[in-house]
Amino acid sequence: MIFSACKTSEPTSKTSGQSAQVLSPPVEQINEDSLQYVLLKNRKERELLNYQASATRKVDILHTELDLIFDYQKTAVIGIAKISLTPFAKSQKTVMLDAKDFELGKIGGKTRGQESNLNYRYDQKQVEIYLPEALNLGDTLLLTIAYTAFPERNSGQGSEAITDTKGLYFIDPMDTIPGKPRMIWTQGETEHNSKWFPTIDKPNERFTQTIHLTVADSLVTISNGMLTKQKKLDNGMRKDTWELRIPHAPYLAAIAIGDFGKVEAKHEDLPLAYYVEKGYEKGAAKVFAHTPEMIAFFEKKLGVKFPWPKYDQIVVRDFVSGAMENTTASIFMEELRLTEREAIDSEWDYIIAHELFHQWFGDYVTAESWSNLTLNEAFANYSEYLWNEYKNGKDEAKLKLITEKETYFQEALSKKVNLIRFYYEDNEDMFDSHSYSKGGVILHMLRKYVGDELFFQSLNNYLTTHALSSVEVHDLRLAFEKTTGEDLNWFFNQWFLDKGHPELEVEVDYSIPENILISVSQRQDLKEFPLYKIPFEVSWYEEGSRKSKRFELNQAFQQFALENQTPVDQIYWDEEKNLLLEKTIKVDSAFMRKQFLESQVGVARYEALDSLVAWENFEVLQELIPSALKDELWSIRELALRITQSHPEWLLDSQDLEDLIFEIAEGDTRNSVRAGAIDVLGAYDPFKYQAALKRYVNDESYLIASSALMGLVALGEEGPGDDFMERFAGEDNFRIVIPMADYYLNTAKKGKGDWFEQKARSLKGEGLYYFLGYYAEYFVTFPEEGRDKALAFLFDKMENSNQVFVRLGAFQGLLGFADDEGVVARIKRIAAKESMPQVKNYFDYFLQALSDEN
């Protein structure tokens, strides 16, 4: 973890009617002032033209019924849609529906008992349906639309969070890829469900639904709501009927079809199910084990029962996002497809909590427009903190919160926009670290300001007042104001409706120890960013007892007298790291040493160690490491071990330190900490600890076994030998595969080309990313083992993987073949087609460096 927002440096650090036409003056009269006026006028005109309003509601869809079959060969959806709708505010002569890349058949309409065929105009994006007479308020129209949808047509780049726009995905539709199951699943956010059924694809629409799915009788279907009927058909087919009788937004409609195994669970009377490929059921039971407890926890915090009739969680192949919160049926990426052993060290609670919390914030109460997306995503993001705080303690939760701050600060280097924003080019632009990470931290600050009791009462007010409806940011503010009795415009204006964050310079005057003076200056550009009102806390310690006072910064420069009375020589500004800001303050290593030794806040102790590492003050670090290894916060123990691994010579100076690390390796309560200790022992003296490493390598935890195997690999030819090491060659978990790849490279083992090929095709996601470097190196070293096949694989991953880090890993691997001009030329051609600017910039940087070298 990097603490640039709160870490300090030596000696200074930055932590983290009628209208008149306005004519432009003639060119010859333009001076600097008038030119600035013209530029300002043009910008404001563009904003008016590009304003992203909430969708105007002309009709209201009441119910959608779909009858679907699937053409795997053409990757098409053949459907009949029956859509019941009524005018929203006034009578209508036409109905406009979103329907992207369809072939439309007959459209029929029925109203007031009269049926008729309806004329329509279709442009491949929307269908405008002409009614024979006006549909008046109170009338209901039933549309029947026969269609074939082609999701593959005109699909394109999505966002950072959702990387494609097909809406519905056929996975290996012709069943041609060995070991890969055929699947169908959907991903409708933002407005992609209109790629497979006609609708009004806007988040402020809401309807009930019935979906009939005709599939092979061997397959399992999942959709929103409850499975109400299954009917066997001829030719080995079956029709399943799913009904959701509570209205929800169109983007939340979903289906998943595949040869799934099912794990059943319950929370009180609420049925839960975890769907995963067969053979992974025991792993799914572990991965999703905390779901009932999560639901109970969130229900208690919110005072609102889980609002839907069931909750399914489905793991699929090749998902285009991390996960998606479809109503009653969240879909997850395949990284959550784990064996029972792999699930021992599963750390997926954060994403499970995120999608679960969306069932309240996003599904039950829905942002009325993508401009208000943070009303969905900030809450889901903050649920990760809430669950972590409850399950693992405040200190561990704070480390997650700081990660969110750092994610936002990194994006803010090149992008500072309002959290609620009505000016953007594409809906997908809203899916960024502002909507997610910044939004979550802002909710945390609001909680700290109003207090826990009023915070959760306000959320209850918000959810109950706006149940099954769409909202904008002012609905949230008014819920808080009604609950707290306080005007909170100042908070929402500066955090939700403006951009940027505070940049503070803090000075502490210790010259009168009984009354410390604190000076704070706001240094952000006030022409572009707000002057902030910031409640903050100052804390200090008196004989081990923590004291604190709260103040409010509301000026550009302000001084605060602590009036502490008892002399102190060190105080902490926002010790608990609750605030989203960058801070400059003068401190030194002695300050951080004392902070580590006296702070009762785990995240502050972590910050102290992390800062000392950044300053490379290894003398102080060596002194603190024994205490850090005994810290109650496992993250500090883990950090201390990483530091020690870089300085194994410290163990030469202290038998007690060596014994302590061995004790941790033998029995720490956290597997990742045990693995860290094993890494230290392997770096220090793998020969001395060879027997222990050979024990650890059989541990159930892949984390521990992997660290032990890496230690044995370090022994090289003097290790336990090929017979022992080859016991692990059949493993497909990347934590074992990577040490084995390292072993084959270190010992120059020929004849392993097929092994490297098989592992490259079995690994996914993070594991594949880490493996690709070893994979490329092997075929650079031994081209006769299959260099051309390896190059084809790497080129394919660089060009076609939907995971950014896999494309990056393939690029890095291909650079190993840079002595071949043909390879470099093809790398450049693929790099030129890269659609994500950040990734393309990365490619271009290293390709330019390569050109400079040559």
Side-chain angles (χ1 to χ4, degrees), residues 85-110:
L85 53 83
T86 189
F88 186 81
K90 59 184 179 181
S91 62
Q92 300 292 328
K93 284 284 293 181
T94 63
V95 172
M96 185 77 78
L97 298 177
D98 298 297
K100 303 182 182 81
D101 303 301
F102 286 15
E103 291 179 0
L104 290 174
K106 184 175 70 172
I107 298 181
K110 180 179 180 180

Side-chain angles (χ1 to χ4, degrees), residues 648-665:
E649 70 275 7
W650 292 350
L651 279 70
L652 290 171
D653 301 332
S654 172
Q655 185 64 46
D656 289 343
L657 179 61
E658 182 181 346
D659 292 344
L660 176 57
I661 291 172
F662 181 69
E663 181 182 333
I664 293 170

Side-chain angles (χ1 to χ4, degrees), residues 365-435:
V365 175
T366 309
E368 71 174 15
S369 69
W370 304 116
S371 297
N372 288 275
L373 177 67
T374 200
L375 296 181
N376 296 353
E377 297 301 345
F379 280 104
N381 183 281
Y382 192 49
S383 75
E384 301 171 30
Y385 177 91
L386 293 174
W387 172 252
N388 219 335
E389 181 183 45
Y390 159 78
K391 193 68 176 177
N392 302 309
K394 184 189 297 185
D395 285 333
E396 187 170 332
K398 278 292 172 63
L399 289 172
K400 178 71 170 70
L401 193 72
I402 288 174
T403 300
E404 299 298 340
K405 292 183 191 181
E406 292 305 319
T407 301
Y408 159 70
F409 285 132
Q410 183 63 37
E411 183 173 89
L413 292 172
S414 58
K415 179 181 183 180
K416 291 185 178 72
V417 290
N418 298 2
L419 204 57
I420 304 296
R421 52 192 186 269
F422 298 91
Y423 308 101
Y424 53 82
E425 292 185 7
D426 190 276
N427 298 332
E428 308 299 331
D429 296 344
M430 292 297 300
F431 291 80
D432 59 13
S433 296
H434 285 65
S435 295

Side-chain angles (χ1 to χ4, degrees), residues 528-765:
E528 187 174 5
F529 307 116
L531 183 68
Y532 287 87
K533 174 179 174 179
I534 307 172
F536 65 92
E537 180 190 65
V538 174
S539 55
W540 67 97
Y541 291 86
E542 297 177 7
E543 297 180 350
S545 177
R546 187 177 187 271
K547 309 290 184 180
S548 67
K549 281 190 177 182
R550 295 191 64 81
F551 300 93
E552 183 181 284
L553 176 68
N554 52 30
Q555 299 174 34
F557 173 77
Q558 220 164 336
Q559 291 186 311
F560 305 90
L562 192 57
E563 298 178 343
N564 44 293
Q565 297 182 346
T566 302
V568 294
D569 59 6
Q570 189 157 314
I571 60 105
Y572 305 104
W573 202 97
D574 189 30
E575 182 184 12
E576 293 187 339
K577 315 303 174 193
N578 289 316
L579 301 177
L580 182 68
L581 50 82
E582 292 183 290
K583 176 176 92 262
T584 300
I585 189 170
K586 292 181 179 180
V587 297
D588 57 16
S589 290
F591 185 100
M592 281 301 176
R593 176 185 178 278
K594 185 173 182 179
Q595 177 173 317
F596 177 82
L597 292 172
E598 77 171 353
S599 179
Q600 297 172 9
V601 178
V603 70
R605 298 195 301 277
Y606 192 106
E607 177 197 35
L609 277 187
D610 194 52
S611 296
L612 290 165
V613 172
W615 302 337
E616 299 183 353
N617 194 323
F618 301 118
E619 182 179 352
V620 175
L621 281 168
Q622 187 175 5
E623 174 199 354
L624 297 179
I625 286 298
S627 296
L629 291 172
K630 299 175 184 177
D631 198 281
E632 62 184 0
L633 180 57
W634 67 265
S635 297
I636 292 178
R637 302 197 301 276
E638 197 173 87
L639 174 59
L641 288 163
R642 289 200 301 270
I643 296 167
T644 306
Q645 186 179 357
S646 299
H647 297 275
E649 70 275 7
W650 292 350
L651 279 70
L652 290 171
D653 301 332
S654 172
Q655 185 64 46
D656 289 343
L657 179 61
E658 182 181 346
D659 292 344
L660 176 57
I661 291 172
F662 181 69
E663 181 182 333
I664 293 170
E666 287 285 295
D668 195 275
T669 57
R670 182 87 181 187
N671 284 343
S672 61
V673 177
R674 284 191 64 199
I678 294 167
D679 288 336
V680 174
L681 297 176
Y684 171 60
D685 192 342
F687 293 96
K688 179 178 180 179
Y689 289 99
Q690 183 173 173
L693 294 172
K694 291 171 75 171
R695 274 194 296 113
Y696 300 147
V697 82
N698 296 310
D699 196 277
E700 278 191 309
S701 165
Y702 274 118
L703 279 173
I704 294 170
S706 177
S707 291
L709 197 57
M710 287 299 289
L712 293 172
V713 168
L715 295 169
E717 299 289 355
E718 299 181 64
D722 288 348
D723 289 344
F724 182 91
M725 298 298 290
E726 286 293 335
R727 292 166 42 200
F728 306 98
E731 288 278 1
D732 286 330
N733 183 275
F734 81 94
R735 298 188 187 279
I736 303 301
V737 169
I738 287 172
M740 288 303 299
D742 197 24
Y743 177 72
Y744 292 143
L745 284 165
N746 286 348
T747 55
K749 288 285 188 296
K750 292 186 177 182
K752 296 297 179 181
D754 289 344
W755 183 90
F756 275 88
E757 286 291 344
Q758 185 267 317
K759 299 308 176 185
R761 283 158 175 75
S762 68
L763 294 173
K764 302 293 177 185

Side-chain angles (χ1 to χ4, degrees), residues 292-361:
E293 187 180 359
M294 280 185 188
I295 295 174
F297 169 67
F298 289 146
E299 286 181 337
K300 183 177 180 180
K301 280 290 184 184
L302 299 172
V304 177
K305 297 289 286 183
F306 186 84
W308 309 101
K310 58 91 170 169
Y311 188 52
D312 295 331
Q313 295 174 100
I314 309 121
V315 180
V316 302
R317 290 288 190 105
D318 298 345
F319 199 52
V320 293
S321 181
M324 177 61 203
E325 68 273 13
N326 312 298
T327 310
T328 77
S330 290
I331 296 179
F332 294 85
M333 60 185 176
E334 66 188 273
E335 278 76 2
L336 279 75
R337 183 200 64 176
L338 303 176
T339 66
E340 185 176 19
R341 184 182 177 191
E342 289 170 333
I344 290 171
D345 297 312
S346 171
E347 295 183 352
W348 294 112
D349 269 10
Y350 76 93
I351 198 171
I352 295 168
H354 184 110
E355 307 310 324
L356 174 59
F357 213 57
H358 267 310
Q359 301 296 312
W360 286 272
F361 294 92

